[in-house]
Amino acid sequence: MKCAICGRESQKSICPKCYVERNEIMWMDSTIYLTQCPRCGFFKIGRWRDASYEEALEEKIRASLRIHPEIKVINVEVIKDGFKVSRPATVNISGILWGERVEQSKTFAVKVLKELCVKCSREAGGYYESIVQIRAEGRSVEEEELKAVKEIAETVIFREKENERAFISKVVERKEGIDYYVGDRNLGRKISRKIVEELGGIITESRKLSGRRDGRDVYRFTYSVRLPSYRKGDIVEKDGKLAVVTNPKLDKGVSIETGESVDLRKGRVVVRRKDIAMSVVVDADSVVEVLHPVTQKVVTARTQLRLKPGDEVYVFEYLGRIHVIPKELET
């Protein structure tokens, strides 16, 4: 059979090439609308997603594209050259029609609509399902700990950024610590558990009725994280003996007298690390002579650990006595 238009051999009365030149084999709306949140930049592609403009446009085009039923599609390509917001985009299709390869291109207008996403709307409205409270046992929460807590919270939130409740709607600094208001109950639990995993401490969970939704009670949860009373480098007294804290998460320390490992549970902090100063050994025999970090006078301290003149040590005073910590024990 010959093509009625060009005379070429064809399976049909019109060959694939002539058919494509005179007919559409792909259809799509003349304008593709994208919806983007002006606050976070997410695109609405079925659901709100963290996608680039290019990715969002490609998915919208592929979702709305309709192709001639007799074509065996080989490739659908969205031309990326000149891919800019609100500019036309071109789509190329190639495939097999009646035994021959055919191609066709279409250019479509693109418009971006702005709409606040569910996540940003909730965050802006102060929505929260849980509170993570950070406190410390018998002391203030230190600046270094607050920084670590902030990094942990931001990391947990970022890992689930497409979760519509993955946000912190409010941070309240208090004299005794800090409170994070979290949009998702489970993320509040994850944040508190990660804090304890990294910094040590315990979690107390409580809940409070906040209302009803669809005939069911709705609760807000509070995760109270209480950090250990001691930090790495603090001096703890237990059973009349002194130890330097080496791992507050595991309640572990090292005796400053013998260098042996000590379980610090139920121990009492007697010296904070900020009150411990660096010094140097002047002489070492049955007692150790070191320079007092303030007066620079030679003072004596007792220890069973072997030290030699010139060794750097940490020095602190407790109950009128000078104590030394070899540098390697503190680290």
Side-chain angles (χ1 to χ4, degrees):
M1 183 181 298
K2 294 185 181 293
C3 174
I5 297 174
C6 68
R8 294 172 58 237
E9 289 292 331
S10 173
Q11 297 178 8
K12 303 283 184 177
S13 59
I14 182 172
C15 71
K17 181 181 178 181
C18 292
Y19 182 86
V20 171
E21 287 176 351
R22 291 159 175 77
N23 297 277
E24 291 187 342
I25 59 171
M26 55 187 295
W27 301 269
M28 182 178 287
D29 296 336
S30 59
T31 302
I32 291 189
Y33 294 92
L34 297 179
T35 304
Q36 184 180 32
C37 176
R39 196 164 184 258
C40 67
F42 279 27
F43 282 94
K44 192 174 186 180
I45 314 170
R47 58 184 176 84
W48 290 100
R49 289 175 46 192
D50 181 23
S52 67
Y53 170 79
E54 179 177 316
E55 292 169 336
L57 184 54
E58 283 192 13
E59 289 209 27
K60 277 285 190 176
I61 289 174
R62 292 178 186 277
S64 60
L65 184 63
R66 301 179 301 281
I67 299 173
H68 193 290
E70 295 186 63
I71 289 181
K72 182 180 179 181
V73 178
I74 297 176
N75 186 47
V76 176
E77 179 186 16
V78 180
I79 304 300
K80 298 177 175 60
D81 294 339
F83 239 34
K84 301 294 182 182
V85 176
S86 297
R87 287 189 182 179
T90 301
V91 179
N92 289 341
I93 179 177
S94 60
I96 304 298
L97 175 64
W98 306 327
E100 293 185 24
R101 185 183 179 97
V102 293
E103 294 183 354
Q104 194 171 81
S105 297
K106 282 285 185 180
T107 300
F108 304 95
V110 182
K111 290 190 177 180
V112 179
L113 307 177
K114 298 297 182 179
E115 177 185 323
L116 203 63
C117 71
V118 175
K119 178 179 177 180
C120 289
S121 178
R122 285 174 171 167
E123 184 177 357
Y127 179 90
Y128 69 96
E129 292 182 359
S130 61
I131 305 173
V132 178
Q133 296 180 334
I134 311 300
R135 306 289 186 268
E137 187 67 41
R139 63 179 177 86
S140 299
V141 182
E142 297 185 13
E143 192 66 33
E144 183 181 340
E145 293 173 306
L146 292 175
K147 182 179 178 181
V149 166
K150 180 182 178 182
E151 290 178 354
I152 289 169
E154 290 176 349
T155 299
V156 172
I157 294 295
F158 180 77
R159 286 175 178 170
E160 298 194 28
K161 56 185 177 180
E162 290 192 357
N163 179 344
E164 292 181 349
R165 294 183 176 87
F167 57 83
I168 295 172
S169 58
K170 184 168 61 173
V171 179
V172 179
E173 295 183 4
R174 303 185 185 278
K175 182 179 179 181
E176 63 274 19
I178 195 166
D179 295 345
Y180 284 88
Y181 289 71
V182 184
D184 185 270
R185 164 192 170 185
N186 292 324
L187 285 181
R189 181 184 290 112
K190 286 183 180 180
I191 291 171
S192 59
R193 287 179 176 176
K194 189 63 176 178
I195 291 170
V196 170
E197 180 184 322
E198 295 288 332
L199 304 179
I202 59 173
I203 304 171
T204 303
E205 180 180 330
S206 61
R207 66 178 187 175
K208 182 179 181 180
L209 184 65
S210 64
R212 291 180 65 82
R213 184 185 305 145
D214 299 327
R216 301 175 62 182
D217 291 339
V218 177
Y219 293 89
R220 281 178 173 158
F221 289 75
T222 299
Y223 303 100
S224 180
V225 178
R226 191 161 291 273
L227 302 177
S229 60
Y230 41 74
R231 299 206 64 203
K232 184 177 180 180
D234 288 344
I235 303 300
V236 172
E237 182 183 42
K238 183 177 181 182
D239 300 330
K241 298 181 180 180
L242 299 179
V244 58
V245 179
T246 55
N247 191 330
K249 293 186 293 183
L250 302 178
D251 296 305
K252 295 296 182 182
V254 174
S255 169
I256 66 171
E257 291 290 333
T258 65
E260 297 175 343
S261 179
V262 177
D263 186 333
L264 300 177
R265 281 174 290 187
K266 297 185 179 180
R268 179 173 62 95
V269 178
V270 293
V271 179
R272 293 293 180 188
R273 63 180 182 175
K274 64 182 178 62
D275 298 319
I276 300 173
M278 180 70 77
S279 186
V280 64
V281 176
V282 177
D283 193 13
D285 196 353
S286 58
V287 295
V288 175
E289 293 183 345
V290 296
L291 291 175
H292 194 287
V294 177
T295 67
Q296 293 300 301
K297 293 181 178 180
V298 176
V299 293
T300 60
R302 293 185 179 276
T303 179
Q304 298 177 30
L305 300 174
R306 291 187 178 183
L307 296 170
K308 61 183 184 297
D311 284 349
E312 288 186 325
V313 291
Y314 293 98
V315 177
F316 67 93
E317 185 174 352
Y318 176 60
L319 297 180
R321 290 185 56 184
I322 298 295
H323 299 268
V324 298
I325 308 172
K327 195 173 181 181
E328 61 269 20
L329 288 190
E330 199 279 336
T331 54

